[in-house]
Amino acid sequence: MRARRAAAVVAFALLSGSAAAQNTVERVAIKGAQDMIVVPKDWNGGLFIYAHGYTADKRILAPLPADPSKVPLLLLPGLASVPPGYASAVTTFRSVGWYVKDAVKDIENLRRYFVKKHGKPKHTYIWGHSGGGMVTEAVIEYFPGTYEGAAPMCGTGAGAWRNFNAALDLRLAYEYVCRDAPAARFACRVCSDGKSRCLADAHCPAGQTCGDTEAPAAPEDGLTPECTTFLLDHPETFTESPTSLGGDFVTPPLTACFGDLNPGGAPSAEQAARKDLFLRASQLRESFLATDMFFATIGMAEVVHRRTHGHHPWGNIGVDYASPLLTPAEQTAFNAGVARVAADADAVRYMRRFYEPRGRTRSKVITVHALDDGLVLPENEDKYREAFEAAGTTDRLVQLFTPTGGHCLFLAAWTPALQALTAWVEEGRKPSTTSVSPTCGNCLTDQTPGPWGLKVVERRAKGAPVRTLVCSAEPGDCPAGATCVEARHHCR
């Protein structure tokens, strides 16, 4: 949380004072999205459009304040971190949750509005963090010639389908490990009217009280439809921050299974054993446990109940879970006891459309990812690179890594990476770790993440033909029984 507060302080300093007074600031609402454009007095003719990270908190959709320094925290980087002289534009998008489909439209609407109002920029760039990194990756392929440069940071470059398969694996591992702890189930409570969902009496209609726990949904549903609606209508009941616990909904079940998650907490021997098994089975960083379980509950539920019409984009039929942190006996027991879920083809196709990178773009792309990111695994970048290899566009991709920074909090690299991108586009100076690292206080490392398939098993599913899956003959690159055709970088 300190790092996020530091980012806010930096942004406030950059957006306040006499310099900000010389900027032209414009707010506009386009088809439900709230947008802000800042054009500096000394505008050089370039434009950076920013795609913000994932949020299920609908409060971000409120009209933006007139003061750029007071926009929601998720939007601040897009206004405060662009290189001097460039115009910046941000949008809330029109929806929250898995917003990729909407975000692609909203980014394009914002860009077109800017062109109509201010003229076509000399150079147009797009960048974003986390889920906004995926939006960035999607936009430059849906509009392959529109953006000269792109910087998806800490993004889900392996694609939505693969990342939500990871969320399913996490949820099923949790259900397996915590099956003997009844209070560990993820479910809402029911008001005394028998219909409304709640976590406390204050959530119920007047005169009603918050009573017993509802029957939990199947894990692959995330949550029941009623609980999903209640939570999305009450964003104060959860937190998405990778640096704090999961809020009133996520934290109590985790505490029931694993004990107090706060530093210095004293779990029982049974709780400590459960947590140890879960962390080894999932290969998850303990500090990200609550945040990752947010996506394995509320995040999955939002997709099922609001995006894919009750169908499941994720599945694990035929998956052999073989975490190297488990003993052979534990692996055998886990594979025998974990629930098996089949994906629905139409939902798989939806998630791959919104979005799975193909590497087909004319943009020059710089990615940045921290190696200790426990929310969006740095191995995403391995699979993203494979997409460019399959498309024959690796000359347009530069991937940078920081040794630390967790999820998107490598603040020192933000602006230097964007400056390196503009130098590549406008001056032809292709960046590298060696050239960029000195500009951010030697914040980069030559180390790279390992194969995606060693963290999340590649799997077969209707809607994801094996021949469409990219690979480079790395361990776990292709589903069981398939091989990598290295010349084409696709599975067979």
Side-chain angles (χ1 to χ4, degrees):
M1 183 62 74
R2 289 180 180 175
R4 298 194 75 178
R5 287 174 179 166
V9 170
V10 171
F12 184 86
L14 291 172
L15 291 169
S16 300
S18 59
Q22 298 175 2
N23 296 337
T24 298
V25 179
E26 182 179 6
R27 293 175 294 164
V28 61
I30 306 175
K31 295 189 176 181
Q34 305 296 325
D35 305 331
M36 178 173 283
I37 295 169
V38 177
V39 180
K41 183 178 180 180
D42 58 348
W43 184 34
N44 63 12
L47 168 67
F48 274 90
I49 297 180
Y50 181 73
H52 72 72
Y54 176 98
T55 180
D57 189 339
K58 65 181 184 180
R59 291 174 292 190
I60 196 174
L61 302 179
L64 297 178
D67 184 347
S69 69
K70 296 180 180 179
V71 301
L73 183 60
L74 281 175
L75 300 180
L76 274 175
L79 298 175
S81 299
V82 301
Y86 289 85
S88 56
V90 299
T91 174
T92 63
F93 310 137
R94 70 187 69 181
S95 66
V96 296
W98 197 250
Y99 49 46
V100 180
K101 180 179 180 180
D102 291 338
V104 170
K105 298 176 184 176
D106 294 329
I107 290 286
E108 179 61 8
N109 287 341
L110 176 57
R111 187 194 67 81
R112 292 184 180 187
Y113 177 87
F114 184 95
V115 171
K116 184 177 180 179
K117 183 71 178 289
H118 301 280
K120 184 178 179 180
K122 292 180 181 179
H123 304 283
T124 306
Y125 302 90
I126 183 170
W127 71 299
H129 286 97
S130 192
M134 170 169 277
V135 171
T136 298
E137 294 162 354
V139 167
I140 62 174
E141 292 192 22
Y142 278 112
F143 303 93
T146 298
Y147 296 86
E148 293 169 87
M153 299 189 180
C154 44
T156 48
W161 175 61
R162 290 187 179 93
N163 276 273
F164 272 103
N165 275 326
L168 172 71
D169 291 349
L170 192 65
R171 178 62 179 274
L172 295 182
Y174 176 88
E175 299 292 336
Y176 172 81
V177 171
C178 302
R179 59 192 183 278
D180 61 345
R185 303 284 76 76
F186 286 102
C188 291
R189 294 162 64 189
V190 183
C191 296
S192 53
D193 63 8
K195 297 179 181 180
S196 305
R197 295 306 191 264
C198 57
L199 297 182
D201 288 347
H203 297 139
C204 294
Q208 304 289 326
T209 57
C210 191
D212 295 335
T213 302
E214 66 176 352
E220 62 267 29
D221 288 351
L223 303 168
T224 66
E226 296 83 3
C227 187
T228 303
T229 297
F230 163 74
L231 292 169
L232 295 178
D233 284 344
H234 292 82
E236 74 279 1
T237 61
F238 58 81
T239 173
E240 303 153 329
S241 170
T243 56
S244 64
L245 297 182
D248 296 341
F249 179 76
V250 175
T251 301
L254 295 182
T255 302
C257 183
F258 302 134
D260 188 355
L261 299 179
N262 288 294
S268 67
E270 185 178 27
Q271 289 172 329
R274 289 196 202 106
K275 183 166 69 173
D276 173 69
L277 177 59
F278 176 75
L279 293 175
R280 288 188 293 115
S282 64
Q283 303 181 69
L284 179 68
R285 291 179 179 271
E286 183 175 354
S287 58
F288 283 85
L289 198 158
T291 304
D292 281 22
M293 289 308 299
F294 163 86
F295 283 95
T297 54
I298 298 172
M300 289 174 60
E302 192 274 338
V303 170
V304 167
H305 300 303
R306 294 198 170 181
R307 306 289 176 176
T308 59
H309 312 291
H311 293 180
H312 303 113
W314 37 75
N316 67 337
I317 301 299
V319 171
D320 179 23
Y321 294 103
S323 167
L325 304 180
L326 297 177
T327 67
E330 288 172 330
Q331 289 180 14
T332 298
F334 186 88
N335 277 293
V338 74
R340 298 290 171 173
V341 177
D344 297 307
D346 60 330
V348 171
R349 286 191 290 268
Y350 174 88
M351 292 303 281
R352 296 189 76 201
R353 185 180 178 191
F354 303 110
Y355 179 72
E356 185 169 317
R358 302 292 191 270
R360 300 167 186 165
T361 181
R362 293 196 290 275
S363 299
K364 293 177 178 177
V365 184
I366 295 178
T367 69
V368 188
H369 217 124
L371 294 179
D372 65 346
D373 191 338
L375 179 58
V376 176
L377 300 176
E379 286 81 4
N380 271 273
E381 304 300 340
D382 173 71
K383 192 56 69 172
Y384 191 59
R385 185 201 72 251
E386 290 181 357
F388 278 70
E389 289 173 345
T393 55
T394 52
D395 62 317
R396 295 186 170 276
L397 177 65
V398 170
Q399 295 182 294
L400 306 176
F401 298 94
T402 62
T404 59
H407 184 55
C408 302
L409 296 180
F410 39 80
L411 277 66
W414 290 4
T415 302
L418 299 183
Q419 291 172 326
L421 181 63
T422 61
W424 187 11
V425 169
E426 299 173 29
E427 302 170 27
R429 293 190 282 129
K430 187 173 183 177
S432 66
T433 297
T434 301
S435 67
V436 178
S437 193
T439 70
C440 63
N442 295 316
C443 69
L444 303 180
T445 177
D446 288 324
Q447 289 183 289
T448 58
W452 168 265
L454 292 184
K455 284 292 183 70
V456 183
V457 180
E458 194 75 304
R459 60 204 70 191
R460 297 175 185 268
K462 293 180 180 179
V466 169
R467 68 182 183 278
T468 68
L469 304 180
V470 297
C471 63
S472 61
E474 294 177 338
D477 248 1
C478 295
T483 59
C484 182
V485 181
E486 292 187 60
R488 299 184 61 191
H489 294 286
H490 279 277
C491 299
R492 180 178 60 189

